[in-house]
Structure formats: structure tokens, C-alpha cells
Amino acid sequence: MMRSMLENRTEIDARSFRRVLLAWYRANARDMPWRRTKDPYAIWLSEIMLQQTRVDQGTPYYERFIAAFPDVHALARASEDRVLKLWEGLGYYSRARNLHRAAKLVSSENAGTFPQSAGQLQTLPGIGRYTAGAIASIAFGERVPVLDGNVIRVLSRVFNIEACTDEPKVRDQLWEIAATLVPVRDPGDFNQALMELGAR
């Protein structure tokens, strides 16, 4: 149904898709601690932790990190050894080191205030296009897309994309599709809805 609805990519079909997807999400979204806040620090932390990590595995780590480092200043003041110790078991330790480096920059250079646009967020260590889009749309309401494995799964099926999604040309096409779908209102909810549908 969704595939045929969007084949021509008309604006009215995009609106219908958004409406159906957001209604599904609001009725079925899993309760996660970082979904209960618009705090960019908490959202950033969750996005970095969940890279290469399942939600059920990452949630206890997230909760321990928030308890130990309740804000970006607390994380910035921590020693790298303590950060890595709390990260132990999540793997990909460069994520933890970049998290710590970014916290120091935000704390010292921006007085603890996160950049509010996806473009500015990408200047921080460890934040790429996807993570920047997630933070900017969820925390700040910026109309920017996200594209991770879950979103690729949804868009590939909806738009009947059979080409290899690892190819740069195909990936660019998927980013373009994702960008055209993001609504002006509640872009963060819409992006989370795409991720939730793909994950489930």
C-alpha cells in the first residue's frame, strides 16, 4: 500500500505517508529514556551509543552514563579513563573518545550549548551526517533527514529500490528521498518513526 502510494512522489502522497507513519509511531513507539526529552546532550549520547549497538544492549549503558555524567560539563570534566571504563563492553572505543572530545569542545567553547543545526553539529568529533540530522531534528526541530540502516530498509521497500544501497549513487538517491519526506512539523518524530519502523 505504502509503495503504490508513493510511486509518483507527489506532495499529496508524501503527506499521506507522513500521516500514516506518524500515527503508527505514536501508537506503537517503544518507550526509551532518550525519547522522553528534547535535551540535545541526552539525544546525542543515545545516538552515539546506539551506533553498532542494539537498543536493549545500549540502554543500560546510556542510563549509567547519564547517572555519572548528567550534563555535557560533567562529561567534559571526567578523565578519559573513567569514560572508557563506563563504555567498557560497548566496543568501538573511538566513539567514546570522540564523545569525550566533543563534550570538551561544547563545554569550553560553547559554554555547554550544543550547535543547533545539522551543519554545525557535524563540526564536532564523531558526529556525521546521520547523527547530526537526528540531533538537529529531534532536539531542535530542524527539517533535516536521517539515513541509517533502518531508514534505508524502509525507503528501499517503499520505493522499490533493488540496487545495492552501498553504492554512492544509490545512497545519494536515498538521502534525497529522505529529505523530500521530512515534514516541516515534527521532523524529529517523523525521523524516529522511520527508524522505528525499520528496526521492527
Side-chain angles (χ1 to χ4, degrees):
M1 176 183 170
M2 286 185 179
R3 179 180 300 169
S4 60
M5 188 193 321
L6 283 177
E7 269 174 347
N8 295 324
R9 293 197 213 173
T10 64
E11 184 58 32
I12 191 166
D13 287 342
R15 283 198 299 268
S16 299
F17 177 70
R18 292 179 195 124
R19 186 172 58 252
V20 170
L21 182 61
L22 281 167
W24 173 84
Y25 174 72
R26 286 167 181 155
N28 297 283
R30 291 170 291 177
D31 180 33
M32 301 174 186
W34 50 87
R35 285 185 174 165
R36 303 175 203 146
T37 181
K38 294 293 185 185
D39 178 6
Y41 172 73
I43 294 163
W44 165 63
L45 181 59
S46 73
E47 289 296 335
I48 298 299
M49 283 195 160
L50 294 179
Q51 293 170 8
Q52 310 293 328
T53 305
R54 297 189 319 273
V55 168
D56 60 343
Q57 181 187 7
T59 300
Y61 283 90
Y62 170 86
E63 291 172 336
R64 285 194 291 272
F65 252 74
I66 286 289
F69 314 123
D71 58 39
V72 71
H73 296 299
L75 179 56
R77 287 192 301 265
S79 69
E80 182 176 293
D81 285 346
R82 188 171 182 221
V83 172
L84 292 176
K85 184 65 178 174
L86 280 172
W87 192 271
E88 205 168 74
L90 275 175
Y92 299 94
Y93 287 89
S94 62
R95 290 182 295 166
R97 292 187 178 93
N98 282 330
L99 195 77
H100 197 207
R101 287 173 55 213
K104 289 180 177 181
L105 287 171
V106 171
S107 180
S108 64
E109 296 183 10
N110 296 337
T113 301
F114 274 81
Q116 296 190 14
S117 74
Q120 292 173 324
L121 283 161
Q122 286 184 76
T123 65
L124 294 173
I127 297 184
R129 187 176 181 183
Y130 160 76
T131 303
I135 298 166
S137 64
I138 298 166
F140 302 116
E142 185 180 6
R143 188 187 182 191
V144 287
V146 296
L147 192 73
D148 68 350
N150 292 321
V151 176
I152 288 170
R153 189 174 300 118
V154 172
L155 297 182
S156 295
R157 291 179 184 178
V158 169
F159 288 95
N160 197 24
I161 296 171
E162 297 179 355
C164 176
T165 57
D166 289 332
E167 293 179 8
K169 184 177 178 180
V170 178
R171 190 63 61 94
D172 288 345
Q173 180 186 18
L174 287 164
W175 272 110
E176 181 184 338
I177 292 169
T180 64
L181 291 173
V182 181
V184 174
R185 184 177 177 182
D186 298 326
D189 281 357
F190 178 78
N191 284 336
Q192 289 182 95
L194 279 176
M195 292 186 275
E196 182 83 354
L197 182 60
R200 297 174 66 184

